[in-house]
Amino acid sequence: MALDKPYQGIPGTTIFDAEQARKGYHLNQFCMSLMKAENRARFKANERAYLDEWPMSEEQKLAVLARDLNRCIELGGNIYFLAKIGATDGKSFQFMAASMTGMTQEEYARMMLQGGRTPGSPVRDPGENR
């Protein structure tokens, strides 16, 4: 039986709770493996083969391959673990956050310097930048 989750109704927000942690356990363990240089090299040499070593769902693997961080989060990924993928790709956390909002890195930085986005304000579809 699922617990009452009064925080579920926050628009555009996935809360990383115990249920999300269970769902994303192997995805997050994969991300943490990227802390070791030899694992980063293996992943970059053949991403699919490395992902196939992990008992992740096919949806999780495809989200990683597409670098669809929003989908990774929906599938149980924790942004602090997912940041290891960005670091492996040589991307900053700011770049990753911007990609999740559909903004360029410069637009995202400007928005944050101006106080951030107000709750409920629209964000572009991240696919628009591709």
Side-chain angles (χ1 to χ4, degrees):
M1 180 169 97
L3 298 174
D4 180 37
K5 297 180 181 182
Y7 51 80
Q8 261 187 321
I10 304 169
T13 302
T14 301
I15 304 295
F16 190 76
D17 59 7
E19 185 178 339
Q20 284 295 103
R22 280 190 298 279
K23 186 167 41 169
Y25 178 79
H26 295 292
L27 169 58
N28 293 315
Q29 289 298 302
F30 149 74
C31 291
M32 291 303 291
S33 78
L34 299 176
M35 292 180 66
K36 293 184 177 180
E38 61 268 21
N39 292 337
R40 290 192 299 274
R42 288 182 53 227
F43 176 63
K44 293 307 284 181
N46 188 334
E47 293 184 4
R48 182 62 203 219
Y50 189 75
L51 287 171
D52 284 341
E53 295 177 22
W54 296 88
M56 297 160 47
S57 73
E58 183 64 16
E59 281 183 293
Q60 289 170 326
K61 292 175 185 181
L62 292 174
V64 169
L65 291 169
R67 301 306 194 263
D68 186 343
L69 300 175
N70 289 323
R71 185 69 179 134
C72 286
I73 288 173
E74 290 172 14
L75 296 170
N78 179 293
I79 191 59
Y80 297 106
F81 296 137
L82 295 171
K84 307 302 184 240
I85 299 170
T88 298
D89 289 340
K91 305 292 185 191
S92 69
F93 195 84
Q94 182 178 324
F95 176 90
M96 294 176 62
S99 77
M100 294 171 70
T101 64
M103 296 179 185
T104 66
Q105 189 171 341
E106 294 75 21
E107 290 170 329
Y108 181 80
R110 189 169 39 257
M111 177 194 66
M112 294 307 290
L113 289 169
Q114 293 171 352
R117 181 175 65 87
T118 57
S121 66
V123 246
R124 292 195 307 264
D125 178 347
E128 289 178 21
N129 282 351
R130 294 184 190 140

